[in-house]
Amino acid sequence: MLDSGDQVAVGIALDHWWHPEGLEKQLGVQARDAEASLVLNRVLETLRDPPTPAELSPETGVGANHLSALQALRVSGADEAPPLADVLESAANDSIRCCALDAVKSVFDNSEEADPRLVEALGTVARDTAVPLSDRLTAIDALDRSPGFNSVGALVCATGCPEVEIQAAAAWGLMYEEVIDEHRGLIERLNANWPVDDVPREVRRVRDLLEATTE
């Protein structure tokens, strides 16, 4: 099925590969591992394709091919970033974006340094006011957890967003030991403009750490 060239068949095969009730349960982990290289090739090809129309998968809707590929990428242990960045920025719906954000975390877990293109895509999502706030916060959390220091610029840019939650989440990502001194002034200016009472938890944790690091 993976070699069929048919989008629906490839999607079914990818789902059978990654799903806990699929190939591994039926034939064992060795059977799944044996197909890992071919699966990754199909995943990357699928993510470069346009999202499939809803009629090909009425239950899933638009972009069922991307959902299947993202789920497979998420559990594959791969560190492939470029096509994932493109899907993240141009997700056909919220479900695809959410799944792509989960896949980003998996990719970062297997990378020594965050891919700049993927960092750029996460920054774009974080600053996009048309994206649900929860997804924007997830994008910032991914930047915060990204390996290396490529995400610092994207986090600084996100502090310029109008939402207090986004500002504080991005500020939190700048508060680790290696970079906090460089950005303490920015964080303190943000803090001075945040509300005093009934603040989001993102603000509370920044304030708690600011107090702890200035004592």
Side-chain angles (χ1 to χ4, degrees), residues 30-207:
Q30 296 87 352
R32 197 176 84 164
D33 289 347
E35 301 297 331
S37 179
L38 177 58
V39 164
L40 183 57
N41 287 338
R42 293 296 172 270
V43 164
L44 299 180
E45 291 172 2
T46 300
L47 292 180
R48 291 187 178 99
D49 289 337
T52 49
E55 55 264 27
L56 286 183
S57 182
E59 290 187 5
T60 304
V62 175
N65 60 332
H66 285 176
L67 283 174
S68 295
L70 289 167
Q71 293 283 21
L73 181 62
R74 180 178 59 83
V75 302
S76 69
D79 60 358
E80 302 289 341
L84 177 56
D86 293 336
V87 171
L88 187 60
E89 284 190 340
S90 60
N93 54 53
D94 292 345
S95 295
I96 293 174
R97 184 189 308 106
C98 185
C99 193
L101 288 167
D102 285 341
V104 166
K105 294 178 181 179
S106 177
V107 167
F108 280 167
D109 285 343
N110 295 287
S111 305
E112 294 184 359
E113 189 170 37
D115 180 85
R117 177 72 186 88
L118 192 48
V119 167
E120 178 186 358
L122 288 167
T124 298
V125 172
R127 298 189 303 274
D128 188 349
T129 57
V131 172
L133 183 64
S134 59
D135 284 354
R136 296 172 65 194
L137 289 170
T138 301
I140 291 177
D141 182 65
L143 289 169
D144 177 19
R145 297 170 184 270
S146 65
F149 299 95
N150 288 343
S151 65
V152 171
L155 288 167
V156 170
C157 288
T159 64
C161 291
E163 299 86 358
V164 170
E165 296 91 337
I166 299 295
Q167 293 176 10
W172 176 261
L174 298 171
M175 296 185 76
Y176 50 95
E177 183 178 357
E178 292 84 352
V179 300
I180 186 173
D181 289 341
E182 181 180 354
H183 300 286
R184 184 180 296 275
L186 168 63
I187 297 168
E188 290 177 343
R189 288 192 297 274
L190 290 167
N191 178 41
N193 289 317
W194 291 334
V196 175
D197 300 316
D198 297 324
V199 294
R201 69 176 186 87
E202 291 85 2
V203 170
R204 291 198 300 271
R205 65 178 181 175
V206 168
R207 284 178 170 162

